[in-house]
Structure formats: structure tokens, C-alpha cells
Amino acid sequence: MTVAAVLRQKGSTVVGVPPDATVAEAAGIIAHHRIGAVVVREPDGRLVGILSERDVVRGLTIHG
């Protein structure tokens, strides 16, 4: 299996959030779209990072 094959099956939609989104907002988007992560993009489209379910869980564990 290739990455291309996985993307064909999943689709090509990329879901993102701005850097000033709260973790709760990002978690809601992840849950709503039933995805494992969101890309973090500046308003000009520049990629800043990726926030995953794992990041959310770790953050809640450490910071409450």
C-alpha cells in the first residue's frame, strides 16, 4: 500500500485551525471531522505545525 492509495480512500480534504485557536476548539474540530489531527496554518496559509489527538490528550493530562 502507498500513501497515494490511502489518500484516495480517505479523500483530499485538509482540515486546519489558526494558531490562536484554543485546544478545546481544535479538539472539537478533530472530533467533528472524525480525524486524528489538524494542520495549524497562519491566515496567509503558511504551515505552522500539526496538532494531533495525542497532543490534546497529553496536554490535558499535564495541564488539566
Side-chain angles (χ1 to χ4, degrees):
M1 178 172 273
T2 64
V3 172
V6 172
L7 292 176
R8 275 194 301 275
Q9 184 179 25
K10 290 181 61 109
S12 61
T13 302
V14 176
V15 179
V17 297
D20 61 349
T22 66
V23 173
E25 290 168 334
I29 290 168
I30 288 170
H32 175 78
H33 290 280
R34 299 180 54 127
I35 54 178
V38 291
V39 296
V40 182
R41 292 182 181 246
E42 292 287 355
D44 65 5
R46 185 172 52 91
L47 180 65
V48 177
I50 298 173
L51 181 77
S52 69
E53 290 173 314
R54 184 175 180 176
D55 295 325
V56 172
V57 170
R58 278 193 171 167
L60 287 172
T61 302
I62 295 169
H63 303 288

